[in-house]
Amino acid sequence: MGAATRTAVVTGGASGIGRAISLRLARDGANVAIFDLDRTGAEAVAAEITTLGRKGEVYQVDVANRTQVEAAVQRVRRELGPIHILVNDAGIGEFVPLAQMSEAQWDRMIAIHLKGTFNCTKAVIQDMVDAKWGRIVNISSVAGLGGGAGLVHYSAAKAGIIGFTKALAQEVGPMGITVNAIAPGLIDTPILRKSDLPEEQVQQFIETIVGRTPVRRVGIPDDIAAACAYLVSEEASFFTGQVISPNGGMYT
Ligand SMILES: NC(=O)c1ccc[n+]([C@@H]2O[C@H](COP(=O)([O-])OP(=O)(O)OC[C@H]3O[C@@H](n4cnc5c(N)ncnc54)[C@H](O)[C@@H]3O)[C@@H](O)[C@H]2O)c1
């Protein structure tokens, strides 16, 4: 399969890591369908993809909503053709101690990250089975490997994504489809500013992490896009059920 013929769906492609992944996959020859709640952000990324000479299409969906996801996937098939690559990146950040965590906060975190990954993967998998080729990359987190204070719901969702990845890798490996997870360390994106944490605490959090990170910096979205570009490449075909963790050497 020639790289230029590939169609990728990137959830959360309007911002941060998903944006960098969308642009990188386009540079590597894919047409990209961006699934995001943020239409304006997604349209800006789609316009950048167009200037790279690829098709970039926007689908405004909540990944936690199965009906919306399935309708969007049908549209992608009509507009860009069958889907070969799926990157499950859409997500939110939130710090809240367990004692104060509401059921709604727990449910929302699990719905976006874990059910969102289920919804999108289930909606596209048949295309990959039919093509006998596919690449699925799920964005987990170091919090899914080592946990984090105030992140019980987030860590549980991200650890769940790792279990999902390993199980599906076994199921679809015989069909030419690989499924891997990326567990980034702290990456400089808008996500931290979208949580309710005051700016002072955000800065403190970043400084603490950088101090504990051997390479002494936070990650940038392109660090993750590079890992993703490898995992979706032809030469990564022996790589499945893996969790790779670009984290500057800081695991927990
Ligand atoms: N930034 C980090 O330090 C870091 C570290 C590890 C893992 N991650 C994970 O990386 C992924 C991307 O995070 P980011 O840092 O780029 O954040 P970001 O806020 O810059 O981007 C997240 C994107 O997901 C979209 N999104 C959120 N909820 C959605 C929903 N229900 N349906 C569709 N789209 C939705 C947002 O609109 C946004 O465009 C997340 O899954 C996050 O948990 C981030």
Side-chain angles (χ1 to χ4, degrees):
M1 182 177 305
T5 63
R6 285 182 188 150
T7 297
V9 168
V10 180
T11 76
S15 175
I17 294 169
R19 172 180 176 275
I21 288 173
S22 298
L23 294 173
R24 174 65 195 258
L25 296 187
R27 262 186 220 107
D28 289 352
N31 294 325
V32 184
I34 300 168
F35 282 22
D36 205 297
L37 285 172
D38 173 8
R39 175 178 287 280
T40 310
E43 278 170 354
V45 177
E48 284 187 79
I49 289 171
T50 308
T51 65
L52 294 169
R54 297 291 160 199
K55 289 183 190 159
E57 297 288 343
V58 174
Y59 304 84
Q60 189 177 29
V61 289
D62 177 353
V63 293
N65 184 315
R66 195 173 62 88
T67 313
Q68 285 183 22
V69 167
E70 283 180 358
V73 165
Q74 290 296 350
R75 276 187 51 212
V76 177
R77 289 191 180 114
R78 284 197 302 272
E79 291 166 3
L80 296 176
I83 295 147
H84 311 105
I85 297 169
L86 169 66
V87 182
N88 284 304
D89 165 86
I92 56 167
E94 179 181 59
F95 290 89
V96 50
L98 179 67
Q100 277 97 59
M101 190 178 290
S102 68
E103 186 180 357
Q105 286 175 314
W106 169 268
D107 285 347
R108 179 165 173 257
M109 191 61 80
I110 301 297
I112 294 174
H113 291 268
L114 200 47
K115 191 169 178 207
T117 297
F118 165 79
N119 284 342
C120 296
T121 310
K122 186 169 159 62
V124 307
I125 195 78
Q126 193 59 44
D127 287 359
M128 299 183 188
V129 171
D130 291 346
K132 298 186 176 56
W133 194 95
R135 295 283 187 268
I136 298 169
V137 177
N138 299 321
I139 306 299
S140 177
S141 166
V142 283
L145 296 170
L151 292 172
V152 161
H153 53 352
Y154 183 82
S155 303
K158 291 305 197 185
I161 285 173
I162 292 173
F164 179 99
T165 299
K166 288 176 183 277
L168 187 64
Q170 294 187 32
E171 197 173 306
V172 298
M175 303 164 199
I177 303 166
T178 69
V179 192
N180 292 289
I182 301 178
L186 185 63
I187 309 298
D188 189 6
T189 75
I191 201 170
L192 281 178
R193 269 85 189 180
K194 291 179 192 165
S195 71
D196 288 337
L197 229 50
E199 180 59 27
E200 194 186 295
Q201 275 183 47
V202 170
Q203 278 309 327
Q204 222 172 40
F205 178 71
I206 293 173
E207 279 166 31
T208 309
I209 300 276
V210 169
R212 287 169 45 209
T213 302
V215 305
R216 292 289 185 270
R217 68 169 176 90
V218 289
I220 56 169
D222 280 344
D223 290 325
I224 308 309
C228 186
Y230 173 68
L231 289 174
V232 305
S233 72
E234 202 58 60
E235 62 186 342
S237 63
F238 204 50
F239 230 86
T240 197
Q242 304 296 310
V243 184
I244 59 170
S245 186
N247 59 30
M250 193 222 66
Y251 283 84
T252 56

